[in-house]
């Protein structure tokens, strides 16, 4: 990781979980650009996942009852679709 990327990452870690999630989401959405190679996409996706795992490990995760998992995942898919549609319109 470059020193610039490392400084940005360290700065992002000071944000609230919601702000970190928003930034991770924005970064992941850029991974569909045709000018980004697969290795770069993988690194960015891994960083976004690491933020989520760290948040969960710190007890900042959310509880989803087992009977609500399917609807929760569907809602995430709908929201992701809405975000992509809004950025490509």
């Amino acid at each position: 990781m470059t020193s610039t990327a490392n400084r940005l990452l360290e700065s992002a870690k000071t944000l609230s979980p919601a702000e970190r999630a928003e930034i991770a989401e924005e970064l992941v959405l850029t991974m569909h650009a045709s000018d980004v190679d697969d290795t770069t996409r993988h690194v960015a996706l891994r960083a976004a996942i690491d933020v989520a795992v760290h948040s969960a490990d710190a007890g900042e995760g959310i509880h989803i009852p087992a009977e609500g998992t399917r609807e929760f995942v569907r809602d995430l898919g709908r929201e992701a679709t809405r975000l992509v549609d809004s950025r490509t319109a």
Side-chain angles (χ1 to χ4, degrees):
M1 182 180 303
T2 66
S3 62
T4 300
N6 194 40
R7 283 193 310 272
L8 286 169
L9 177 61
E10 291 305 312
S11 180
K13 288 179 181 179
T14 66
L15 301 172
S16 72
E19 291 169 319
R20 291 192 313 262
E22 187 176 348
I23 288 172
E25 177 184 324
E26 292 291 332
L27 290 172
V28 168
L29 287 173
T30 67
M31 299 290 78
H32 298 291
S34 61
D35 61 337
V36 179
D37 63 70
D38 287 342
T39 301
T40 303
R41 284 188 191 132
H42 180 263
V43 168
L45 183 56
R46 182 74 243 167
I49 291 168
D50 288 346
V51 169
V53 168
H54 176 60
S55 179
D57 287 347
E60 300 167 345
I62 59 172
H63 175 73
I64 305 166
E67 65 275 2
T69 303
R70 183 179 301 250
E71 188 59 31
F72 179 77
V73 171
R74 281 185 184 145
D75 289 345
L76 287 176
R78 288 183 193 115
E79 178 65 11
T81 299
R82 185 192 66 75
L83 287 168
V84 169
D85 288 347
S86 72
R87 285 174 175 79
T88 58

